[in-house]
Amino acid sequence: KKRKSSKVEMGNNNPANKVPTKVILSVVSYGVAVSGYLGTKFGTWNWFSFHPALMMLSFFSLTGAAALIKKRGGYTNTKLHGYLMALATVAAGFAFYVIYSNKIMLQKDHFTSWHSWWGLTALLAYLLLFVVGLFGLHPDFGAAKTNKLIRASHKYAARLATVIAWISMILAFNKLDDDPTHQLAFATPLVASAFIVLV
């Protein structure tokens, strides 16, 4: 009798389903470019600049790359997906600290816009998904790594969290840049990326 492998298969390893590296790099590059634009939007880099820049890197570049790498399937890609999502969560957490402390310094009220509430919801969702992913679905020691229901729930909840995050980013960009041409130029790649990252 053949012995069954004890290694859990994480994702689809079908070569036809692998995402080209250039697609992943395109997503990352777009996020980095917009991050730089937002960070220097008002001429000089300041404490507030870290907020839009890091949120863009977190919610788009890192999250997008993590989702696309996970689509490649396999043990190594699953772990890399987790590392990138952990980094994205840390970056978003620091960006939240920046905007929260900045409002305190300026003596402004917190959570007064739809952007802030969408962003907070996305951040909390990512934190919860990180905990579930680390302790429940880690391919080495996850307590529920073979549970199909939890894996599917994690997958679709992450997609919902990303949609919420991207809505927050669009609202934020529109607030920082009121030029309709710039707003369209920002939103169009996000919508196009949704069909690659989220579907």
Side-chain angles (χ1 to χ4, degrees):
K1 294 182 179 180
K2 292 183 179 180
R3 296 181 62 185
K4 293 183 177 180
S5 173
S6 60
K7 196 170 186 178
V8 177
E9 191 60 41
M10 309 297 291
N12 194 336
N13 278 312
N14 186 341
N17 294 328
K18 290 189 176 180
V19 180
T21 301
K22 62 182 179 181
V23 172
I24 298 174
L25 292 177
S26 295
V27 169
V28 173
S29 297
Y30 174 73
V32 170
V34 175
S35 177
Y37 171 74
L38 292 175
T40 57
K41 178 71 172 60
F42 301 105
T44 58
W45 190 278
N46 54 41
W47 180 239
F48 170 78
S49 300
F50 285 102
H51 176 68
L54 286 176
M55 281 301 191
M56 187 67 194
L57 288 176
S58 171
F59 286 167
F60 190 79
S61 292
L62 293 171
T63 300
L68 293 173
I69 288 172
K70 183 66 180 78
K71 286 187 176 186
R72 288 179 164 182
Y75 173 81
T76 300
N77 288 324
T78 296
K79 292 187 72 172
L80 181 56
H81 162 82
Y83 295 145
L84 289 173
M85 286 307 302
L87 183 58
T89 303
V90 171
F94 184 74
F96 173 79
Y97 166 72
V98 168
I99 192 61
Y100 196 89
S101 61
N102 193 66
K103 283 184 176 291
I104 290 177
M105 288 188 289
L106 297 176
Q107 297 184 333
K108 290 185 176 181
D109 293 331
H110 301 285
F111 310 116
T112 59
S113 66
W114 283 110
H115 155 67
S116 63
W117 285 109
W118 283 100
L120 178 62
T121 301
L123 175 60
L124 294 176
Y126 277 141
L127 285 170
L128 179 58
L129 288 163
F130 170 72
V131 172
V132 173
L134 177 62
F135 297 105
L137 300 175
H138 192 286
D140 291 331
F141 53 78
K145 61 185 179 182
T146 60
N147 188 303
K148 293 182 178 180
L149 177 60
I150 293 180
R151 287 172 63 178
S153 298
H154 180 81
K155 174 182 177 180
Y156 291 109
R159 290 181 177 182
L160 177 60
T162 300
V163 169
I164 292 172
W166 289 10
I167 291 173
S168 173
M169 289 194 303
I170 291 174
L171 293 174
F173 188 93
N174 291 350
K175 188 175 181 179
L176 292 173
D177 192 327
D178 59 3
D179 187 323
T181 303
H182 293 174
Q183 293 174 356
L184 182 62
F186 173 73
T188 300
L190 258 68
V191 175
S193 297
F195 291 96
I196 302 172
V197 175
L198 302 176
V199 176

